[in-house]
Amino acid sequence: MTATERLYYSDSHLIEFDARVIDVTDRVSGWTAVVLNRTAFYPTGGGQPSDTGTLNGARVVECIDDGEQGVLHVVQGAAPERGTIVHGRVDWPRRLDHMQQHTGQHILSQAFVTLFNAPTRSFRVLDTSCEIDIELQNPTAQIIERAVELANNVIWEDRAIVIRNVTSEEAAELPLRKEPAREGELRLIEIEGFDLTPCGGTHAYRTGEVGMIAVRSWERAKGLTRIEFVAGTRALADYRKANRSAREVAALFSTGRDDAPQLAAQMVEESKELHRQVRALEEIAAGVEAEKLLAAASQGVVTHVFEGRDAESLKKLAHALIEHPGTIALLGSRDGDTARLVFARSADAHGDMNALMREACTLLDGRGGGKPDLAQGGGKHVEKLHDALTHALTLLNAAP
Ligand SMILES: [Zn+2]
C-alpha cells in the first residue's frame, strides 16, 4: 500500500486537484519534498520523465516515485505545511507532450512486432526526440517506413485506448506484447484491436491524440536497432526545423527545397574536379617556384619562411626543389598558430634531415622527424621559426 493515491492512473487528462499534505521534508539547497495523500503528478519512471507544475504557489520541479513512501513532489519556493489542503496543477503542455511520445511508443513498438516480429527492448523520452531499441536485424529505410506507416494509420483510425486492471492469473491468459515487470494486480493498456501491454504511464484517451509519428534516424547499437522518433507536437517542431534547414540550403542554390539535393550533389562533384585541377596546377607552380628559389640560393641550400602554407604545400615545394641535384631545402611556414617545417635533400646531397629536424623542433616546443633525406615537423612557437631554420642551417654547415 502506497501513501499516495495516484490519480493519473485513472485519468491521464486530470491536471487540477486538491490534496492533503501528509509529509514535508527539507532536501538539499532549499528544495523541499512534499508528499500528498493523492496526486495527479506523474513521477519519473518507465522511460517517461516526471510532470512539473505547481502546489499552491510553489513550483514543482520534479516528482519521484518513492514506493510505499508515496510520490515525492520536489518543490522550489514556499512549501505547504503538513496537514494543509493544497491545490495542485500539472503543466499540461508537458504532460500532453509526454503522453504523445509515450503512447506513440506503444503504437510504434506494436507496429514493429506486427510486421517484423521485432520486440522493443527499451524506450527513452529525450529532450526533443525519443529512442526505442528493437530486435530488428536488418534495418532499411523501407522496412522502417512500413512500420511508421502502419503506426500512423493506427493513429488516424482514432482507436480507443482502454485501461484494464487484471490479476496476474488473468494476465497469463492474455496476448501481452511484453512480460509484466511485477507480480499481483496488473494495469494493462489496450489499444483497441492492436496492442495490449502492461504499463504504469500516462496515455492518450484515443490514438488520434498522438497526432503523428515520424522517424528521424536509426543505427545499429549493441546488437539491436536504435530508432530515434518524434510524435505529436515534437513531430511538428521537427518538421519546422527540417523545413527551415532545407529551405536555407535551397536558398544557397537559388532554388526550391525539392531541387536542392540534386544541385548540392552537382556542386560537390564540381568541387572535387576543381580540387583535382588545383592540385595539378600546384605541381606546376611548385616547379616554377623551385627554380626561382634555387636561382637565388647559395650552393644549392634553400632556406625560406612562408606565410600560411600548410604541410602538404610545403612538402610539394620541397619535392620540386630536390628534383634538382645537389639541393637541400630547409622550409618553414607560419600556418595560423602553428609553425611548420619541412627539410629535404636530393639523393646526392649530404646531411641528416631527420637529425636537423629534431634539433629545430626543440626550439619550437614541438616535434618532428623522418628519414635522412626528408623530415617534417612543427610546434607552437611561431615567432621562433627563423631561429629554428638558422639553427638547422648552422648545424648543417658544421657537419663534416
Ligand atoms: Zn505506457
Side-chain angles (χ1 to χ4, degrees):
M1 191 57 199
T2 168
T4 309
E5 182 194 350
R6 292 155 199 249
L7 302 171
Y8 56 83
Y9 274 162
S10 48
D11 189 354
S12 62
H13 289 59
L14 177 74
I15 55 164
E16 291 204 51
F17 65 101
D18 290 318
R20 192 160 44 80
V21 178
I22 57 175
D23 195 27
V24 181
T25 46
D26 278 335
R27 303 273 158 156
V28 283
S29 62
W31 292 24
T32 308
V34 177
V35 180
L36 306 173
N37 68 331
R38 59 210 289 263
T39 190
F41 282 90
Y42 180 79
T44 307
Q48 186 178 330
S50 125
D51 283 324
T52 56
T54 54
L55 283 182
N56 286 352
R59 186 85 200 132
V60 178
V61 293
E62 206 197 341
C63 296
I64 300 159
D65 193 337
D66 201 10
E68 289 184 1
Q69 307 303 311
V71 174
L72 304 181
H73 302 73
V74 180
V75 300
Q76 277 178 317
E81 282 177 26
R82 188 193 295 242
T84 56
I85 301 293
V86 287
H87 186 69
R89 192 185 172 91
V90 174
D91 292 332
W92 173 246
R94 183 177 163 95
R95 163 66 68 83
L96 174 65
D97 169 39
H98 291 167
M99 281 199 304
Q100 286 177 326
Q101 310 315 313
H102 183 90
T103 310
Q105 180 258 312
H106 280 238
I107 298 169
L108 187 59
S109 288
Q110 178 58 49
F112 277 109
V113 170
T114 302
L115 292 174
F116 309 112
N117 197 24
T120 294
R121 287 291 162 238
S122 63
F123 162 60
R124 288 162 298 279
V125 176
L126 308 173
D127 284 348
T128 57
S129 64
C130 308
E131 279 176 1
I132 48 172
D133 292 333
I134 63 173
E135 287 186 14
L136 182 67
Q137 291 310 315
N138 298 302
T140 63
Q142 202 190 9
I143 282 176
I144 287 169
E145 285 309 320
R146 271 182 67 197
V148 169
E149 196 168 315
L150 172 57
N152 280 303
N153 284 333
V154 168
I155 289 170
W156 299 327
E157 283 157 12
D158 199 25
R159 299 186 188 215
I161 300 175
V162 187
I163 302 161
R164 285 165 63 178
N165 292 304
V166 299
T167 62
S168 48
E169 291 75 31
E170 287 168 323
E173 303 296 313
L174 294 168
L176 303 185
R177 174 160 53 79
K178 65 175 185 183
E179 290 298 312
R182 60 193 194 91
E183 299 285 304
E185 187 170 275
L186 285 174
R187 180 175 189 259
L188 303 183
I189 306 303
E190 180 176 23
I191 297 173
E192 225 167 38
F194 185 65
D195 184 44
L196 183 65
T197 198
C199 186
T202 55
H203 306 87
Y205 281 167
R206 305 185 68 85
T207 58
E209 208 175 350
V210 176
M212 71 166 288
I213 289 176
V215 164
R216 277 177 56 100
S217 65
W218 68 89
E219 59 179 357
R220 294 287 293 163
K222 293 173 190 163
L224 300 169
T225 295
R226 174 163 296 171
I227 294 178
E228 185 193 12
F229 73 94
V230 282
T233 56
R234 290 189 184 201
L236 177 60
D238 191 60
Y239 169 79
R240 284 182 176 138
K241 205 168 140 191
N243 190 34
R244 192 166 56 238
S245 299
R247 288 174 55 154
E248 279 172 10
V249 171
L252 295 175
F253 295 98
S254 308
T255 186
R257 204 186 64 173
D258 296 342
D259 293 328
Q262 197 203 331
L263 288 170
Q266 217 172 306
M267 193 182 185
V268 168
E269 273 312 306
E270 282 171 14
S271 165
K272 278 184 192 162
E273 179 53 31
L274 282 173
H275 268 107
R276 274 192 289 273
Q277 290 178 13
V278 166
R279 276 197 292 275
L281 289 171
E282 275 174 354
E283 296 278 344
I284 296 167
V288 174
E289 194 179 12
E291 278 175 21
K292 276 174 86 175
L293 286 167
L294 270 174
S298 75
Q299 295 173 343
V301 180
V302 174
T303 62
H304 201 95
V305 173
F306 297 92
E307 290 298 329
R309 250 175 136 139
D310 63 17
E312 213 37 51
S313 162
L314 272 189
K315 246 169 89 178
K316 202 164 275 176
L317 177 58
H319 277 294
L321 280 164
I322 62 171
E323 276 180 19
H324 298 263
T327 304
I328 295 175
L330 305 178
L331 308 179
S333 169
R334 292 187 195 90
D335 189 9
D337 296 338
T338 309
R340 298 192 188 283
L341 290 175
V342 172
F343 296 169
R345 66 162 167 79
S346 51
D348 61 344
H350 295 287
D352 183 349
M353 300 301 118
N354 177 38
L356 292 183
M357 181 58 72
R358 287 171 190 279
E359 286 293 329
C361 284
T362 56
L363 285 180
L364 302 175
D365 191 18
R367 317 170 30 181
K371 294 175 181 169
D373 62 339
L374 177 72
Q376 56 181 326
K380 50 191 176 189
H381 286 308
V382 180
E383 75 286 354
K384 297 238 174 94
L385 255 177
H386 274 289
D387 292 349
L389 280 188
T390 309
H391 184 51
L393 187 59
T394 310
L395 290 172
L396 179 69
N397 290 332

